Each structure stands twice: as structure tokens, then as C-alpha cells.
Amino acid sequence: MRSKLFSVPGLTLALTGGRGIHPLDLGERRFLHPGPLRWLRALGWAVALVFLVALTALPTGEALGKWWPQTSGVAQLAATIIAAGVGLGVYALAVWLAEGRRPSELALRPLVPELGVGLLIGGLMFAAVMGAMAVFGLYDIQALGLAPAWVSVGKAIQSGVIEELMIRAVLLRLIWRAFGPWVAFAVSAALFGFGHIANPNASVFAAVCIALEAGIMLGAFYALTGRLWLSIGVHAAWNFTQGYLFGATVSGGDFGPSIARSTARAGVPEWLTGGAFGPEASLPGLVVCTGVGLLVMAMAWRAGHFAKQPG
């Protein structure tokens, strides 16, 4: 007999810690009320909301980081956490005022279980990528010993919270409101991928990989649960595992002190290893993340969450 755990309801209950799932709340009231040019109002609100989150959360973190002792890892991490909280708070307040609703995508009761599951999934996914790299001789992994994790934790929180707010909660949701789910996934994934094109050692291939891997996968977790916590957890844990636990380059940049150092072997094609940009631009990363993303998309489809169309 097939185990209930591996059915769609069983998997969704496991992913959400028993909290269940629901379709995205695209917004139906006030600025997003039905009527003429609703698609245009949704796009305009998306642009305004992205800037509102970015221009409050990021400067808050920078200001606190400069004001508090820069040599203190605890103080710098606290500044990042406060900035992430500001971003979440500003988003929630803006949605309440402009859309006339409480943002169910930031519901607090599922926060701990879904964030925890997301952190586990993100860490295991990257470990699987590096395991494949090691087995096939694509990477050298060297243990370095204990290292302070403050910088890596802070960067993981910032990327996980702020990027998921802007790309998934704002762009994916509101483009979905305007044009439907498939356009929303295509546009938000492309923007997320090619938003990394200015990073050090970036390439068009790297941007395409990130769009297919993270753009689809993280959006799929959001579409499945109707909440942002799984996406935030997966995103943050992937970056932390990549930068701190394995010491690999993260999107072309240094993630700070690490307990290991992972480097691509010389002479191996960059499309297999990601080269100087990091494992995100590698074939193993593409296979693992896109596979998970398609699985979660299929679960969201079977749950009927793609039936909600723009009005």
C-alpha cells in the first residue's frame, strides 16, 4: 500500500508542519479592486512596493551597521535582522493600507514550522549538489576548521528575506494578478536570474541557471503554500550552506569566513562546475534545483493553485 506521507496531501502537510496550504492571495480590494486597467494598477503597485521595501529595509541595515561597532559580529547581525524585520513590517503595512487585507503570505502561526522545513530543504539541496561535485571529481573540498558565522548568517538572512519579499511576494504575486501564473513565473524568474548579471564573474549562462533553478523553485514553494516562509528558508539555507559550510563562491562573491573551502578543479568546463561564479551556475545545481522546482510546481498544480487567473 502506498504510504500517505508520499501523497500530495502528505507531502504538503510535511512541508508546512501540518498548517496546510492555500492559493496565493493576489489582492482583490482597494487599489487592486476589479475594474478597468486592473492589470496596469497591479504593475504600478508592484513597482512602488519593490521600491518601498528596498528603500526602507536596505538603508536601515546600512545605517545601523555603520552606527553600531563594525568589529562586532553580533552587532552587525542584529542590524541585518532589524533591517529584515523592517522590510517585512513595511510590506505588511503597505498591503494592509493599499490592498485592504492582512497579508496571509506572512501569516505568523506557520512561520516556525515552515521556516524550519525550508532551512532543512535548502541545506540538503546544496549538500546534494556538492556531493555530486565531489563524487564526479569536479570540486576539491578542504576542511578549514571552525570560523565565525556572523557574516554568513547575516548575508543569508538579508538575501532570504529581502529578495523573497521583492521577487516572490511582490513581483510574482502582482504580475500573476495582472497576467496570470505562467507570465508571472516567466517574468519573475527572468528578473531574478538576470538581476545577478552584474555580479562578479557572472555570465548569461549563470543568469539563466539562477532563473531556472531559484526563480522557478522558490516561486513554486510560494505558489504551493500561499506563504513566503518556505521560500525564505530554502533561499537562506542554500546560501549559508554554500558560503559558510562549504566555502564556495556565492553568486560570484565571497560570503565571509567559512569552515571549509570548495574550489572547482582546473581544466573542468565551467558549465559543469559554475567556475568563478559558483555552483549555482553548474549542471548539478541546475539539475537538483530545477528538479525540486518542477516537483513542487506539480504539487501546486494538483492542488488547484494555478486555477486562479487575473480578473
Side-chain angles (χ1 to χ4, degrees):
M1 182 180 291
R2 186 181 177 187
S3 171
K4 292 183 179 180
L5 176 62
F6 295 99
S7 65
V8 170
L11 285 172
T12 53
L13 285 174
L15 287 174
T16 62
R19 297 296 182 183
I21 60 175
H22 61 79
L24 295 188
D25 189 340
L26 303 180
E28 306 284 345
R29 300 174 58 196
R30 294 186 184 173
F31 197 68
L32 296 178
H33 67 84
L37 298 179
R38 191 187 204 183
W39 66 271
L40 185 59
R41 286 182 274 123
L43 294 184
W45 178 226
V47 173
L49 201 46
V50 164
F51 277 100
L52 186 60
V53 171
L55 294 178
T56 53
L58 298 180
T60 297
E62 292 178 3
L64 291 176
K66 291 178 180 178
W67 183 40
W68 290 348
Q70 297 186 23
T71 55
S72 170
V74 176
Q76 294 300 307
L77 176 59
T80 302
I81 293 173
I82 291 172
V86 168
L88 293 167
V90 165
Y91 173 86
L93 179 61
V95 165
W96 180 65
L97 291 174
E99 300 181 27
R101 66 182 182 90
R102 292 182 179 180
S104 59
E105 57 270 33
L106 298 182
L108 293 179
R109 289 186 66 188
L111 188 160
V112 172
E114 291 185 8
L115 189 62
V117 171
L119 291 171
L120 179 62
I121 292 173
L124 289 176
M125 284 175 57
F126 189 79
V129 170
M130 293 308 292
M133 296 279 202
V135 167
F136 290 103
L138 305 179
Y139 257 75
D140 290 316
I141 304 173
Q142 177 188 8
L144 301 179
L146 292 178
W150 307 111
V151 173
S152 294
V153 172
K155 289 183 177 181
I157 291 173
Q158 178 173 304
S159 59
V161 174
I162 303 303
E163 290 181 14
E164 291 310 302
L165 269 177
M166 294 193 295
I167 301 298
R168 254 60 68 175
V170 177
L171 294 179
L172 176 63
R173 177 176 67 85
L174 291 170
I175 295 173
W176 190 327
R177 170 79 283 164
F179 300 116
W182 307 119
V183 173
F185 265 88
V187 172
S188 64
L191 288 173
F192 187 62
F194 283 89
H196 291 74
I197 199 68
N199 288 22
N201 303 305
S203 64
V204 172
F205 180 72
V208 170
C209 283
I210 289 180
L212 293 175
E213 295 167 5
I216 292 176
M217 174 191 64
L218 296 171
F221 280 118
Y222 180 36
L224 174 66
T225 64
R227 295 179 290 268
L228 208 57
W229 306 125
L230 263 174
S231 301
I232 290 174
V234 171
H235 192 156
W238 172 280
N239 282 3
F240 179 79
T241 306
Q242 181 173 347
Y244 179 75
L245 297 184
F246 283 93
T249 303
V250 180
S251 300
D254 182 7
F255 220 60
S258 60
I259 63 174
R261 180 62 60 200
S262 299
T263 53
R265 288 191 175 178
V268 179
E270 288 193 0
W271 60 270
L272 280 174
T273 66
F277 186 80
E280 294 137 308
S282 69
L283 181 62
L286 184 63
V287 170
V288 169
C289 294
T290 304
V292 172
L294 292 176
L295 172 63
V296 178
M297 286 274 280
M299 292 170 64
W301 172 271
R302 290 189 62 183
H305 290 185
F306 289 101
K308 198 165 189 178
Q309 297 294 327

